[in-house]
């Protein structure tokens, strides 16, 4: 009898070990995609804040707190994490599938993303906006919320609207548009974004272009009212110096494509794109011949949003959010223009906005708008 009990206990112990091994394997064989929330398949419910592009782990600025080490003998880049916590003093190595943070052929290759926060991981990601992913804002304008639900918000030509408004962050969008003959509303696109935090404002905008050329940069960026130039050689990036919260803007292509990171608040992949002739005809936009209607396509990844976050996109990241749009129709519409409209691109004021400027903010010039 004792022998039988011993055998049963041994068998049970072996079973537990095998189950543990299975769980570990399941966590490590996901090709580095846990938590990146960019599949846009509607499976995210916005409640776990882990798969929808919102990291609420209080890892303010820890993601990029690392020293760059020399690469491995086979070329994989290495980073030594300095942030206090689970990843402190660990060396993270980029996988062979994406050995470099900034690959030369960005359009065809994924870049290595190092995260020294509590996630303590490296992942392979395309360094460009995924218009079907969580937190995307593309086209005329089409959103995919933090809950994975797609919806349209038309706003108004020449209008400014709060996309996100929270305690520490406000992001406004300036809409451009046109109204073709016989229509009762405008066709609209996002021409500029203003990212406001603390006393600072970062503006990313598409220039007005008569005729589109992929080799001409139609992107303009302003930091606290001053135009900044993003180099095309070397690290191809601009970053703040001496600021407590670091801001980095880096090119992800030779022209018209950047990644913007405000430490501990938001990361954005942005590209400028025109309305092509075929698109103009298919949708009957009736655009003038001397305007390519250059606009932005953007994907947001947020950090530390509060449970009361507001904004056209922001509210979809609330843990208890239920989308009011009609599911299953070709163009599910989100209303609320009156709630989210702001007096200007730089204003944090709207009927439901939460963000308040810190003292020390001064007036800055408006971005060139249509």
């Amino acid at each position: 009898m004792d022998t039988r009990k011993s055998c049963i206990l041994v068998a049970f112990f072996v079973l537990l070990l095998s189950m543990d091994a299975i769980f570990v394997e399941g966590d490590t064989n996901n090709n580095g995609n846990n938590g990146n929330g960019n599949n846009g398949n509607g499976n995210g419910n916005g409640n776990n804040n882990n798969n929808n592009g919102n990291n609420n782990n209080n890892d303010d600025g820890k993601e990029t707190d690392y020293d760059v080490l020399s690469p491995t003998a086979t070329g994989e880049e290495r980073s030594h994490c300095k942030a206090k916590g689970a990843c402190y003093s660990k060396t993270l190595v980029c996988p062979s599938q994406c050995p470099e943070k900034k690959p030369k052929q960005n359009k065809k290759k994924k870049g290595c993303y190092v995260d020294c926060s509590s996630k303590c991981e490296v992942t392979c990601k395309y360094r460009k906006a995924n218009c079907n992913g969580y937190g995307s804002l593309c086209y005329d304008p089409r959103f995919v919320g933090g809950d994975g639900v797609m919806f349209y918000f038309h706003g108004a030509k020449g209008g400014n609207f709060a996309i996100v408004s929270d305690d520490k962050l406000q992001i406004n969008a300036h809409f451009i548009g046109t109204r073709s003959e016989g229509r009762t509303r405008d066709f609209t696109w996002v021409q500029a974004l203003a990212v406001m935090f603390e006393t600072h404002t970062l503006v990313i905008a598409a220039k007005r272009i008569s005729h589109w050329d992929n080799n001409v940069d139609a992107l303009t960026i302003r930091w606290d009212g001053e135009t900044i130039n993003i180099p095309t050689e070397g690290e191809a990036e601009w970053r703040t110096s001496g600021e407590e919260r670091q801001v980095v803007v880096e090119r992800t292509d030779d022209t018209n494509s950047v990644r913007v990171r405000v430490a501990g608040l938001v990361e954005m992949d942005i590209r400028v794109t025109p309305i092509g002739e075929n698109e103009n005809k298919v949708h009957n936009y009736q655009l003038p011949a001397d305007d390519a209607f250059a606009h932005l396509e953007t994907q947001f990844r947020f950090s530390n949003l509060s449970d009361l976050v507001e904004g056209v996109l922001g509210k979809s990241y609330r843990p208890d959010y239920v989308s009011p749009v009609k599911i299953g129709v070709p163009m599910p519409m989100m209303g609320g223009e009156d709630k989210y409209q702001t007096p200007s691109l730089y204003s944090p004021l709207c009927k439901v906005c939460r963000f308040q400027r810190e003292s020390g903010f001064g007036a800055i010039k408006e971005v060139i708008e249509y």
Side-chain angles (χ1 to χ4, degrees), residues 36-41 52 129-138 142-146 148 298-300 313 317:
N36 70 359
N38 64 354
N39 294 323
N41 55 11
N52 63 353
N130 173 11
C131 287
N132 294 315
Y134 292 99
S136 59
L137 166 51
C138 302
R142 193 193 77 171
F143 294 74
V144 178
T298 307
Q299 185 178 19
F300 301 90
L313 176 65
Y317 286 85

Side-chain angles (χ1 to χ4, degrees), residues 88-294:
Y88 177 69
S89 199
K90 290 187 178 181
T91 297
L92 300 184
V93 182
C94 294
S96 58
Q97 296 92 335
C98 57
E100 299 174 309
K101 298 184 187 73
K102 299 179 181 180
K104 296 294 187 294
Q105 295 178 309
N106 179 67
K107 290 183 178 180
K108 298 180 180 179
K109 293 184 178 180
K110 292 183 179 181
C112 174
Y113 179 73
V114 177
D115 188 342
C116 284
S117 70
S118 57
K119 289 184 179 181
C120 199
E121 65 181 6
V122 289
T123 54
C124 294
K125 298 180 182 180
Y126 283 115
R127 290 157 47 81
K128 57 184 179 181
N130 173 11
C131 287
N132 294 315
Y134 292 99
S136 59
L137 166 51
C138 302
Y139 313 134
D140 52 345
R142 193 193 77 171
F143 294 74
V144 178
D147 57 351
V149 175
M150 181 269 287
F151 63 90
Y152 288 82
F153 177 85
H154 288 305
K157 174 185 176 182
N160 302 285
F161 298 90
I163 302 303
V164 176
S165 185
D166 204 12
D167 299 335
K168 297 180 180 180
L169 174 71
Q170 173 116 354
I171 302 176
N172 288 352
H174 176 71
F175 285 43
I176 57 173
T178 186
R179 183 176 298 190
S180 56
E181 186 178 352
R183 289 188 59 85
T184 57
R185 68 162 183 84
D186 300 325
F187 288 114
T188 53
W189 300 270
V190 171
Q191 179 251 344
L193 294 169
V195 182
M196 293 170 271
F197 61 97
E198 297 166 356
T199 62
H200 301 296
T201 300
L202 178 70
V203 174
I204 307 98
K207 299 175 184 176
R208 188 183 190 282
I209 301 294
S210 298
H211 301 286
W212 183 258
D213 184 342
N214 285 324
N215 297 316
V216 176
D217 205 2
L219 190 66
T220 182
I221 300 175
R222 293 185 181 186
W223 170 248
D224 290 343
E226 300 295 327
T227 300
I228 61 175
N229 295 314
I230 313 301
T232 56
E233 302 296 332
E235 290 296 302
E237 67 178 30
W238 171 92
R239 61 177 62 216
T240 55
S241 58
E243 299 291 342
E244 184 175 343
R245 191 183 296 278
Q246 190 175 66
V247 179
V248 180
V249 182
E250 57 176 299
R251 289 192 182 274
T252 52
D253 207 342
D254 293 336
T255 59
N256 299 312
S257 183
V258 293
R259 171 170 287 182
V260 177
R261 183 171 64 250
V262 181
L265 291 178
V266 64
E267 182 177 81
M268 303 178 288
D269 286 316
I270 303 172
R271 64 170 171 258
V272 181
T273 188
I275 301 298
E277 290 185 16
N278 185 59
E279 186 179 358
N280 185 24
K281 292 178 181 178
V282 169
H283 295 284
N284 193 30
Y285 291 143
Q286 300 178 24
L287 300 183
D290 62 346
D291 193 342
F293 271 76

Side-chain angles (χ1 to χ4, degrees), residues 346-364:
Y346 299 123
S347 174
L349 303 177
C350 73
K351 290 182 179 179
V352 296
C353 286
R354 297 176 51 80
F355 179 74
Q356 293 184 352
R357 285 283 192 187
E358 292 185 6
S359 59
F361 170 73
I364 56 179

